[in-house]
Amino acid sequence: MSKRIDPDNRRRYFIVGSVILEIVTPVFRQRLEKDYKSKGVGCLQDFINSKPVIHILFHLRHTNIKCCVDSTNCRNRRKLPLNYSQWDLLYTENPGPPKHHCHCLYTTNNVKLDDLDVTLASLILLNCCNLTPNEEISIKELREFKNNYLSHNIKGAITEKEYQTLWNDLMTYVLQLDPSKQDDFIRIQNRPLDDSLCNKYFVCLLDIHKKLEEISDKLESSTAEILTAINGQSNMELLTKLEEILQYVRCQSPKEKTDNHGIKQQTPIQPYKLGQPIVTLHHQINLTSVVNTSWKVTDISMMDDGRLVMCLPVQSRLLICNTDGSQVESIHVQGYPWYAAAVNNSTVAVTLWGIKCIEMYDINNKLKLKFISLPGIMRLDSGITAINNKIVVGGENRLHIIDYQTGKVIQTITTKCNPGRLHGSGDRILYCDNINSNKMYWYSYTNARHHNLTLPSPPWDMTILQNGSLYVVCKDGSVQHVSSDGKQYKPVKTLQTTPGCDGIHYNLTQRKLMTIQNKNRLVTVYNEI
Ligand SMILES: *[C@@H]1O[C@H](CO)[C@@H](O)[C@H](O)[C@H]1NC(C)=O
Ligand SMILES: *[C@@H]1O[C@H](CO)[C@@H](O)[C@H](O)[C@H]1NC(C)=O
Ligand SMILES: *[C@@H]1O[C@H](CO)[C@@H](O)[C@H](O)[C@H]1NC(C)=O
Ligand SMILES: *[C@@H]1O[C@H](CO)[C@@H](O)[C@H](O)[C@H]1NC(C)=O
Ligand SMILES: *[C@@H]1O[C@H](CO)[C@@H](O)[C@H](O)[C@H]1NC(C)=O
Ligand SMILES: *[C@@H]1O[C@H](CO)[C@@H](O)[C@H](O)[C@H]1NC(C)=O
Ligand SMILES: *[C@@H]1O[C@H](CO)[C@@H](O)[C@H](O)[C@H]1NC(C)=O
Ligand SMILES: *[C@@H]1O[C@H](CO)[C@@H](O)[C@H](O)[C@H]1NC(C)=O
């Protein structure tokens, strides 16, 4: 979104967009689930596949057709509310007799509740479910709401006047469907603007297809021209989305429609070489000369100027040095600094072993800037990472997102394990419990879901590389290269750490990778090839 937008208007847009994506969408999905469960249907796929539902939805997409079965219930609509990508998400056509076309030819895809966006969920609710009159009104209004304020809102802004008129309605309709959402409204309303999340939501909510239709004569021009036509915006996500759409439109000749299940399922174009070497040795810092007592580096972080900050709990200090090991300095910490994250060019935030707090240090003048007491985090082994100008720390079965300026917890995300090590970048927070589970997890802001992957050995530390793939250090000392979708992995043979408790950290800006090998008392710095 362009910089000219008044930040207050943008924040209002962010709030309304968040309500649609974080409250309304889940409420719709839950209502849908409640409906089919009440009919004794176990899952969405079975529901979508049931005869009455497939028949109704078929006629929301196809016109002038008399079906071969149940023909009394055929409807002929002039306007087709279900679009191609929605239909293709739900159903796949099977070969049938020539000239025969009806719902009997389709089978249901493996579709999950989470695959349904707010529009598609509302369509199914309104057409295929038993709703009370009030529910029906609320769902219709909320769907209209998205159309009126978000789907065509290419500015990503909502003025105060508009906001005043819409907010009460929005709240009333949602609470009519689910009165328990009151607290979520308050949380979202008080949340500060998060630019990158706002950009994501913007792309998610804008109906780019509609916009493209309006400028269809430009379809064959370059994406850059289309961007200019839209709003002169330069937004990477929008650009990526447009590229996807252009490709989709170009490929989408009518013949190919049945084997194209829509944009969502397109696979990345580039080939994926997992496990191949991507770094070369830059420097090995032998810490024996620096620290000659028993020691352990529990975490490492990189500052703006490329300096490294390491946690040495046994010595109660943070060690600062250049990547070639020169200019070693240290900051004394009262307690055991356990994990550290750089929050800006001069500040690190640190969690301490045994104390539920975060401390912030200025590494230039070596002063403690802040002590933030956080009763909700884990007393031992609470990971920390910085993402979008916020700090994330691990609590019992949850992640806490903290505004480090105010020290307030602004969001809590529940997890299925106690997050020890954390690493955040872009829209993902990676975590693992550092106990003995072979699972690593990540939370994605884009779909507000947790994902996991089982590795050959318990993961100990992880980091995100340039293109979204991951390096994970496991307890057996291996480094696994995990694909950006988190589905595949391969060991990186050229990178071994020592079995035990080591660490890994990649810095996107400096394009450097650091590994900790405690057994050898080494911190190794690599440059990306
Ligand atoms: C179809 O509807 C979805 C909403 O469910 C929307 O995001 C998408 O842009 C529409 N696709 C087309 C091709 O109109
Ligand atoms: C991602 O990065 C890895 C390592 O740099 C590389 O091997 C792989 O080809 C990249 N994949 C894509 C899709 O760019
Ligand atoms: C690190 O330095 C110490 C003492 O200077 C030496 O004994 C040790 O072999 C070195 N370690 C490595 C891996 O080079
Ligand atoms: C340990 O290191 C200190 C300096 O950090 C040095 O003065 C001392 O001699 C070293 N001791 C041993 C046994 O190497
Ligand atoms: C990477 O380094 C840049 C500056 O070089 C710094 O701003 C950033 O915080 C570092 N990122 C991480 C994840 O350490
Ligand atoms: C730190 O960042 C601020 C703003 O981002 C900048 O004004 C300042 O010059 C930077 N300081 C150093 C030492 O790089
Ligand atoms: C870095 O963050 C700290 C803690 O919030 C703050 O006090 C300091 O002014 C910031 N420094 C810069 C250069 O932004
Ligand atoms: C891991 O992911 C699978 C597939 O999404 C899910 O069914 C399972 O519950 C997850 N496990 C944990 C422990 O989160």
Side-chain angles (χ1 to χ4, degrees):
M1 273 159 270
S2 78
K3 294 221 167 61
R4 284 166 277 128
I5 291 165
D6 176 341
D8 289 334
N9 289 347
R10 183 160 151 77
R11 184 163 168 271
R12 281 186 279 267
Y13 174 90
F14 179 55
I15 292 172
V16 174
S18 299
V19 169
I20 296 293
L21 291 171
E22 295 178 25
I23 303 182
V24 178
T25 309
V27 165
F28 280 13
R29 289 174 187 157
Q30 278 153 18
R31 182 62 189 86
L32 182 53
E33 185 177 30
K34 187 174 144 201
D35 183 84
Y36 63 72
K37 290 250 157 95
S38 77
K39 294 168 177 158
V41 180
C43 68
L44 178 70
Q45 188 179 356
D46 291 348
F47 179 67
I48 297 293
N49 198 37
S50 66
K51 280 288 160 292
V53 173
I54 188 169
H55 197 181
I56 294 167
L57 294 179
F58 179 79
H59 289 290
L60 298 182
R61 175 64 249 157
H62 301 93
T63 187
N64 285 327
I65 292 173
K66 267 260 181 249
C67 294
C68 65
V69 284
D70 195 18
S71 62
T72 47
N73 282 322
C74 290
R75 298 272 173 281
N76 196 20
R77 293 165 184 269
R78 286 184 51 81
K79 263 186 93 172
L80 296 175
L82 204 60
N83 71 34
Y84 280 119
S85 26
Q86 292 168 328
W87 177 255
D88 288 347
L89 173 74
L90 302 177
Y91 299 107
T92 302
E93 189 178 359
N94 299 313
K99 300 217 171 129
H100 184 77
H101 190 206
C102 104
H103 73 265
C104 71
L105 293 183
Y106 291 87
T107 46
T108 308
N109 299 325
N110 178 12
V111 53
K112 302 266 186 305
L113 272 175
D114 285 353
D115 299 330
L116 307 180
D117 65 10
V118 70
T119 314
L120 184 52
S122 71
L123 263 168
I124 300 174
L125 278 168
L126 291 169
N127 289 287
C128 313
C129 297
N130 300 329
L131 305 171
T132 67
N134 275 343
E135 282 176 332
E136 190 171 331
I137 293 170
S138 298
I139 292 168
K140 274 189 182 146
E141 290 291 340
L142 288 168
R143 188 182 59 173
E144 274 315 296
F145 195 93
K146 184 195 164 221
N147 283 340
N148 291 342
Y149 298 108
L150 303 167
S151 298
H152 313 290
N153 187 336
I154 58 170
K155 284 214 176 77
I158 289 178
T159 63
E160 180 158 20
K161 286 206 179 89
E162 206 168 38
Y163 186 78
Q164 274 170 359
T165 58
L166 65 79
W167 183 254
N168 278 340
D169 281 354
L170 180 58
M171 215 150 80
T172 311
Y173 293 129
V174 175
L175 296 180
Q176 232 161 47
L177 290 169
D178 186 345
S180 76
K181 296 292 173 189
Q182 187 102 39
D183 288 352
D184 291 307
F185 271 94
I186 295 166
R187 173 180 61 80
I188 286 176
Q189 227 178 340
N190 292 332
R191 180 160 74 173
L193 173 63
D194 178 333
D195 267 307
S196 71
L197 191 58
C198 186
N199 276 339
K200 287 228 150 64
Y201 284 2
F202 173 70
V203 173
C204 228
L205 291 162
L206 188 67
D207 194 338
I208 293 178
H209 287 100
K210 284 258 162 55
K211 203 67 216 162
L212 283 179
E213 277 163 27
E214 288 165 37
I215 51 172
S216 57
D217 52 333
K218 289 215 159 126
L219 258 188
E220 283 308 310
S221 61
S222 71
T223 1
E225 277 172 65
I226 291 176
L227 271 182
T228 316
I230 288 188
N231 204 16
Q233 300 174 52
S234 72
N235 171 323
M236 269 316 289
E237 285 145 44
L238 185 52
L239 197 77
T240 315
K241 186 95 184 170
L242 275 168
E243 268 162 9
E244 267 179 21
I245 289 164
L246 280 177
Q247 195 178 357
Y248 177 77
V249 171
R250 288 188 196 112
C251 300
Q252 185 86 350
S253 77
K255 303 186 261 349
E256 288 168 316
K257 218 164 274 155
T258 47
D259 51 39
N260 192 333
H261 295 176
I263 299 157
K264 277 192 181 158
Q265 282 150 36
Q266 275 192 359
T267 44
I269 311 136
Q270 287 146 295
Y272 220 97
K273 282 263 163 46
L274 283 178
Q276 77 183 24
I278 61 152
V279 290
T280 57
L281 184 68
H282 169 66
H283 189 82
Q284 274 194 324
I285 308 174
N286 183 342
L287 287 162
T288 313
S289 55
V290 180
V291 185
N292 54 14
T293 50
S294 81
W295 71 283
K296 180 172 163 180
V297 174
T298 43
D299 201 9
I300 193 163
S301 195
M302 185 177 253
M303 304 304 293
D304 250 34
D305 53 7
R307 274 186 296 171
L308 303 176
V309 177
M310 301 173 209
C311 293
L312 273 75
V314 182
Q315 314 232 323
S316 288
R317 60 172 167 152
L318 296 173
L319 196 79
I320 304 158
C321 67
N322 291 335
T323 50
D324 62 1
S326 65
Q327 287 197 2
V328 179
E329 298 174 311
S330 63
I331 300 178
H332 178 74
V333 173
Q334 267 183 331
Y336 311 113
W338 203 250
Y339 295 124
V343 297
N344 63 28
N345 56 10
S346 57
T347 309
V348 282
V350 180
T351 55
L352 306 183
W353 180 261
I355 306 177
K356 296 183 171 192
C357 74
I358 296 174
E359 292 192 334
M360 316 249 298
Y361 290 88
D362 185 311
I363 65 149
N364 293 327
N365 59 24
K366 318 215 168 33
L367 289 178
K368 176 151 58 172
L369 296 174
K370 256 180 212 174
F371 172 91
I372 303 173
S373 170
L374 288 168
I377 75 172
M378 286 187 292
R379 201 166 65 81
L380 308 175
D381 207 36
S382 177
I384 187 165
T385 186
I387 182 169
N388 306 328
N389 286 319
K390 314 271 182 331
I391 288 178
V392 184
V393 287
E396 272 174 37
N397 291 309
R398 62 201 57 198
L399 296 165
H400 294 290
I401 319 292
I402 289 155
D403 179 339
Y404 60 81
Q405 309 285 2
T406 63
K408 294 245 153 53
V409 177
I410 50 177
Q411 194 189 357
T412 301
I413 300 168
T414 50
T415 58
K416 281 194 193 150
C417 74
N418 294 340
R421 291 277 187 167
L422 297 176
H423 179 74
S425 172
D427 75 320
R428 280 184 294 177
I429 302 169
L430 315 179
Y431 59 95
C432 60
D433 67 6
N434 291 144
I435 306 187
N436 257 329
S437 151
N438 285 22
K439 273 198 188 330
M440 65 161 292
Y441 301 84
W442 63 102
Y443 176 79
S444 155
Y445 270 105
T446 313
N447 59 12
R449 279 171 70 182
H450 296 270
H451 305 261
N452 64 69
L453 175 70
T454 305
L455 291 163
S457 160
W460 184 257
D461 195 10
M462 56 253 145
T463 192
I464 302 183
L465 304 175
Q466 195 83 354
N467 61 15
S469 58
L470 323 173
Y471 270 180
V472 181
V473 169
C474 295
K475 281 199 178 167
D476 65 3
S478 67
V479 175
Q480 303 289 338
H481 188 185
V482 178
S483 60
S484 56
D485 63 2
K487 295 208 166 118
Q488 292 155 315
Y489 60 84
K490 252 195 183 165
V492 187
K493 297 251 166 59
T494 50
L495 274 180
Q496 285 275 332
T497 63
T498 47
C501 308
D502 289 337
I504 196 158
H505 185 88
Y506 174 79
N507 186 294
L508 212 68
T509 323
Q510 306 273 339
R511 307 188 72 171
K512 281 192 165 58
L513 182 79
M514 279 78 67
T515 61
I516 304 169
Q517 285 145 275
N518 277 311
K519 284 229 167 76
N520 303 341
R521 300 189 170 191
L522 282 178
V523 165
T524 311
V525 182
Y526 302 86
N527 286 324
E528 195 169 331
I529 294 168

